[in-house]
Amino acid sequence: MRRQLLTGNAAAAWGARLAEVDYVPAFPITPQTEIIETLDRWIEAGEMPARLVMLESEHSMITAAGAAAATGVRVFTATSSQGLLYGMEMLYTVAGWRAPFVLVNVSRGLAAPITLESDHCDVLAARDSGFLQIHCSTCQEVIDGVLLAYRLAEHPRVRMPVLVNLDGFYLSFTREPVVIPDLESVRRFLPPFDPEGIRFRASEPISQAVAVLGGGPYSYFRYEMHLAAQEALTAWDEVASDFERELGRPAPLLETHRVEDAEIVFFMLGSFATKGMDAVDRLRDAGWKVGLVRPRLVRPWPADALRRTLCAVRGVAVIDQNLSMGMGGILHGELAAALYGAPDAPVLASFVGGLGGRDISPEEFFEIAAVTKQAAESGHAPAPRLLYTEGELREVRKLQGIALAERHETSPQRTPLEEA
Amino acid sequence: MSETSSSFLRMADLPSTHLLGGGTAMCAGCGGLQALQQIYDVMGEKTVFVNAAGCMTMLSVYPFTPFRGSWLYTSMASAPAGAQGVRDALDLLAAKGKLPPEEDLGVVVLSGDGSAYGMGLSATSGAIDRGLDFLYLCYDNEGYGNTGQQGSAATPLGARTATDPGAEGHVGFKKDLFGLWVANRPTYVATVIGAEPLDLARKIEKAMQLSGPRLILALAPCPTGWGFAPEDMVEIARLAVRTGIFPLKEYAGGEVVHTKKKLPRLPVEEYLKLQGRFAHLFEPQRNDAVIDAIQAQVDAYWAEYE
């Protein structure tokens, strides 16, 4: 065990290295590329006995990952954003193969407009694919999350692929002190991959992923996936307890920060929750009874644990770094579903922010707390809010002004009327 | 190919027992299934078929399969990438002593022309430039057959399809998949047809002795898509070869060799007139312009080799 400054990307690579993966199908995309470059360097240097193969697309990469896992080796791969969506067909497909492996997603906003910076629209687009989802808030959680993901994926009651999400830039390129566990401890926690019945051998012919005719067999296999995904909740407790014993860090299903006597709770995912915790501490200093809850698992959705934790508070501010057009924040809808009908369910206030890497400032957290407190006191949920400042709007107007001026310079025959 | 190196010298040498089970959902008179049966007899059961979406997806329907070996359905676009994952995993297991040689499998991509000529080309190209050790088997029925024969990149000039219903039929030309592969110098590329079983068996035998990227391109006369009675399938397949429309050839070691060069070639209309998809070239009146254009394409092809 040693402590080192690592980027989130390097932490993801360390997770794969310590899991002693056999196979890494790869395709580069910003901000994920450092992960595969790091692994490739280790493999080339003989420090990691694995094979990395460059595919020609993420669609192929995920196919190769699933096919290798279905042949009986331990597989790691990673992507981001457009890449995750380019491979979307195969996310659903390989999840149905029930061949466990781990896919790291370095989250990044989706086109259009194209951007490199982070939000959760990419990973939440894979919400219903059958991949389980672990969301990380620190670089330490990235290395831990990859190791936990393999145990969960390969658990005999689960056998599903797992997505481990870290936020682009905020984690991918940010160095934090990370404890790198020693290999012996990891081996005690994570035994070698057991493909069980899912593998190809000449003496054991098997047809995998065949067609079905009719809704009966189709529903049977889809329900099995759902039930297996739900099993991952109880499996998580077992896996987390082994993790704490062997690696010395707890891995709770929900991270909670100062919720014991909280009246208002921020509900967030990923690295921005560390900003949220900082805001909680400042608000506490100002006498507010505020806390924060962050699920580490998004699939399966820990509905029972959320009910137990949140029904004690009066108001929850759900801060979504995603946007479902025409609906709003996805977590808000998911949390409302988990809490609906529960006695003493808190009032939910919905906020959308942090899209495409946009920051959420301490002042905004204070305003979110104030709006949520008022909602809790009145018992009425306020209209959802899209976080945006006058300064940001002024900045966009300025850019639009520059664009118009440029156009006028290059095409002076246009009249001001047309431009208006 | 030197005939003495093959164990298939005459028809009597062909396998007399067949490995592929019957009772599948394929259409009666399917030229693709005929080719696959013969190919599978030569390949044997130590194979894993990595299937791309197409007619043959319906071969393995839960809980049945006609294969004695293994099968993995992937998607329409990425079967070669599936083959990559399986091949790499088998090699890794072997390297780590976890897969005895007798447990190893040959990896075979199975796809129709829709995938092989179109959606799957990116994954195919990647597998070729990575030098993947696999065999790609394309059953080419010159259209998206499984969805009712819409025009694909393999649809030939003049053919009527569900999306080429006009008086001229299909206006585009059939893409040269053989040439696309050969341009990248893979290990082996061959065209085969079920109606020429000896030629087919020799080519599969040869392909199985090689490693690296290998394509077997089988023309698959399609009763439902091309418009002919199932019992005419073999005759139409033979005419595809006799008219020179479907050249039987192979590429190995940098050289293309035609394995059946029968002269004189029959006029293409002998082949065209038996198929519903070309009926509009003859009825209600003859469309000599299109028939001549098809003949000219065939003549131009052979002019390079005769």
Side-chain angles (χ1 to χ4, degrees):
Chain A
M1 190 176 89
R2 59 206 165 95
R3 217 171 156 82
Q4 202 173 313
L5 276 174
L6 289 184
T7 62
N9 279 345
W14 266 107
R17 176 172 170 165
L18 289 168
E20 298 182 277
V21 303
D22 300 294
Y23 188 52
V24 185
F27 190 84
I29 181 168
T30 304
Q32 155 268 31
T33 310
E34 182 191 2
I35 299 175
I36 61 169
E37 285 186 348
T38 305
L39 291 171
D40 195 56
R41 200 168 58 241
W42 287 336
I43 292 167
E44 290 294 321
E47 295 167 21
M48 187 177 161
R51 179 177 298 177
L52 183 143
V53 174
M54 288 300 295
L55 277 293
E56 77 295 332
S57 75
E58 291 87 354
H59 188 277
S60 280
M61 179 188 87
I62 296 167
T63 306
T71 309
V73 299
R74 186 174 277 161
V75 179
F76 174 86
T77 187
T79 188
S80 174
S81 186
Q82 308 300 128
L84 191 73
L85 265 70
Y86 194 71
M88 187 63 74
E89 177 192 22
M90 297 318 295
L91 290 182
Y92 279 72
T93 302
V94 301
W97 297 357
R98 303 296 301 277
F101 69 93
V102 173
L103 167 61
V104 163
N105 183 64
V106 187
S107 61
R108 165 184 148 186
L110 295 171
I114 189 90
T115 182
L116 296 176
E117 294 188 62
S118 179
D119 68 37
H120 297 151
C121 287
D122 59 352
V123 64
L124 290 179
R127 186 187 61 172
D128 304 331
S129 64
F131 273 67
L132 310 183
Q133 288 196 12
I134 297 175
H135 287 244
C136 305
S137 72
T138 64
C139 294
Q140 182 69 60
E141 270 187 33
V142 173
I143 197 167
D144 293 354
V146 171
L147 297 173
L148 286 159
Y150 277 105
R151 266 293 298 274
L152 201 61
E154 296 170 10
H155 193 286
R157 293 202 314 275
V158 179
R159 310 295 294 183
M160 304 281 277
V162 179
L163 259 164
V164 177
N165 195 72
L166 61 135
D167 294 330
F169 290 77
Y170 286 100
L171 290 183
S172 70
F173 300 146
T174 305
R175 276 172 216 280
E176 293 181 341
V178 172
V179 174
I180 302 174
D182 63 79
L183 188 57
E184 284 314 307
S185 311
V186 173
R187 281 178 176 162
R188 282 195 302 275
F189 168 69
L190 179 65
F193 179 45
D194 175 4
E196 298 189 358
I198 306 287
R199 60 180 201 175
F200 292 115
R201 296 288 181 283
S203 66
E204 303 163 24
I206 183 175
S207 293
Q208 298 197 48
V210 298
V212 294
L213 289 179
Y218 181 79
S219 301
Y220 175 86
F221 289 113
R222 299 300 287 183
Y223 288 163
E224 281 222 315
M225 288 171 69
H226 172 59
L227 297 172
Q230 286 188 318
E231 283 292 327
L233 282 173
T234 52
W236 178 273
D237 292 338
E238 182 190 318
V239 168
S241 139
D242 290 354
F243 188 84
E244 185 166 12
R245 189 181 67 244
E246 301 300 344
L247 295 154
R249 277 181 300 285
L253 201 51
L254 303 182
E255 179 176 52
T256 57
H257 183 67
R258 305 182 83 164
V259 293
E260 293 70 29
D261 63 340
E263 292 173 354
I264 302 295
V265 157
F266 295 144
F267 187 74
M268 304 178 72
L269 275 187
S271 66
F272 270 40
T274 59
K275 293 173 186 286
M277 289 195 287
D278 178 64
V280 165
D281 293 344
R282 294 179 193 216
L283 282 159
R284 283 274 178 180
D285 290 345
W288 291 61
K289 287 188 171 175
V290 183
L292 180 139
V293 171
R294 174 179 68 89
R296 286 177 78 162
L297 269 186
V298 167
R299 280 293 177 274
W301 186 233
D304 287 342
L306 292 170
R307 269 195 296 274
R308 281 196 304 275
T309 309
L310 292 173
C311 283
V313 305
R314 297 180 61 199
V316 176
V318 185
I319 304 173
D320 271 286
Q321 284 173 263
N322 65 76
L323 186 53
S324 171
M325 308 309 167
M327 185 275 189
I330 291 170
L331 285 183
H332 175 253
E334 299 259 304
L335 187 62
L339 299 178
Y340 181 77
D344 307 324
V347 172
L348 300 189
S350 170
F351 302 88
V352 172
L355 299 187
R358 180 199 184 272
D359 198 9
I360 300 177
S361 68
E363 294 75 20
E364 284 175 312
F365 278 109
F366 297 166
E367 175 68 12
I368 288 168
V371 168
T372 308
K373 187 164 189 281
Q374 221 239 310
E377 279 162 6
S378 71
H380 295 295
R385 290 205 179 183
L386 309 177
L387 300 183
Y388 212 60
T389 61
E390 284 178 2
E392 284 173 299
L393 190 59
R394 267 200 309 276
E395 192 59 30
V396 170
R397 294 281 182 249
K398 202 168 92 188
L399 295 174
Q400 288 172 335
I402 294 169
L404 273 179
E406 288 283 317
R407 184 193 291 174
H408 196 72
E409 269 178 35
T410 50
S411 322
Q413 69 278 14
R414 283 169 187 262
T415 66
L417 192 64
E418 279 173 353
E419 285 164 6
Chain B
M1 124 179 51
S2 136
E3 297 203 353
T4 51
S5 68
S6 173
S7 48
F8 303 113
L9 300 179
R10 58 192 73 81
M11 291 292 278
D13 297 330
L14 295 174
S16 55
T17 54
H18 301 298
L19 292 178
L20 197 71
T24 66
M26 305 300 285
C27 306
C30 171
L33 186 62
Q34 181 201 34
L36 177 66
Q37 278 173 330
Q38 297 172 20
I39 290 166
Y40 198 45
D41 285 342
V42 181
M43 272 184 190
E45 55 202 67
K46 286 173 89 164
T47 41
V48 48
F49 277 74
V50 182
N51 181 59
C55 295
M56 294 211 185
T57 298
M58 298 310 288
L59 282 177
S60 291
V61 177
Y62 189 79
F64 303 109
T65 178
F67 291 93
R68 297 185 186 212
S70 289
W71 168 276
L72 176 69
Y73 173 79
T74 54
S75 72
M76 189 151 185
S78 64
Q84 182 83 45
V86 173
R87 181 69 268 155
D88 286 341
L90 290 169
D91 289 348
L92 283 162
L93 289 165
K96 293 186 178 182
K98 293 179 185 169
L99 186 85
E102 67 274 14
E103 291 284 21
D104 197 12
L105 294 162
V107 182
V108 183
V109 164
L110 181 63
S111 99
D113 53 282
S115 175
Y117 284 73
M119 198 195 273
L121 258 185
S122 166
T124 305
S125 162
I128 293 171
D129 64 52
R130 291 187 297 269
L132 178 65
D133 181 17
F134 80 125
L135 201 145
Y136 193 126
L137 172 55
C138 170
Y139 52 98
D140 178 359
N141 65 352
E142 304 190 322
Y144 296 109
N146 205 30
T147 45
Q149 199 71 7
Q150 296 76 31
S152 80
T155 302
L157 178 66
R160 264 214 177 129
T161 73
T163 51
D164 302 291
E168 301 290 305
H170 186 68
V171 177
F173 63 96
K174 183 180 173 81
K175 189 148 70 193
D176 181 9
L177 188 66
F178 185 96
L180 274 177
W181 272 70
V182 164
N184 293 284
R185 307 180 73 80
T187 313
Y188 188 69
V189 187
T191 60
V192 301
I193 197 161
E196 296 287 351
L198 202 53
D199 179 75
L200 178 148
R202 288 171 184 162
K203 287 170 174 169
I204 302 303
E205 182 188 37
K206 187 166 180 178
M208 295 296 285
Q209 289 162 357
L210 299 167
S211 62
R214 291 154 286 160
L215 171 69
I216 300 294
L217 179 56
L219 187 69
C222 174
T224 50
W226 295 9
F228 61 80
E231 62 266 29
D232 294 335
M233 184 265 284
V234 173
E235 178 61 16
I236 285 170
R238 283 186 179 138
L239 284 166
V241 178
R242 289 291 309 277
T243 55
I245 276 187
F246 187 68
L248 289 171
K249 56 186 171 178
E250 63 179 356
Y251 164 89
E255 201 186 355
V256 175
V257 174
H258 286 83
T259 53
K260 287 258 177 196
K261 278 200 282 191
K262 202 154 194 169
L263 287 170
R265 281 182 279 111
L266 297 176
V268 292
E269 69 172 279
E270 299 298 315
Y271 170 73
L272 303 178
K273 69 185 182 191
L274 298 182
Q275 304 174 45
R277 63 175 174 161
F278 294 113
H280 60 286
L281 302 181
F282 301 95
E283 296 286 338
Q285 66 241 15
R286 227 179 124 86
N287 188 336
D288 278 318
V290 174
I291 296 169
D292 291 350
I294 296 169
Q295 185 66 59
Q297 279 184 348
V298 173
D299 292 345
Y301 174 87
W302 287 101
E304 281 187 46
Y305 298 102
E306 286 171 358

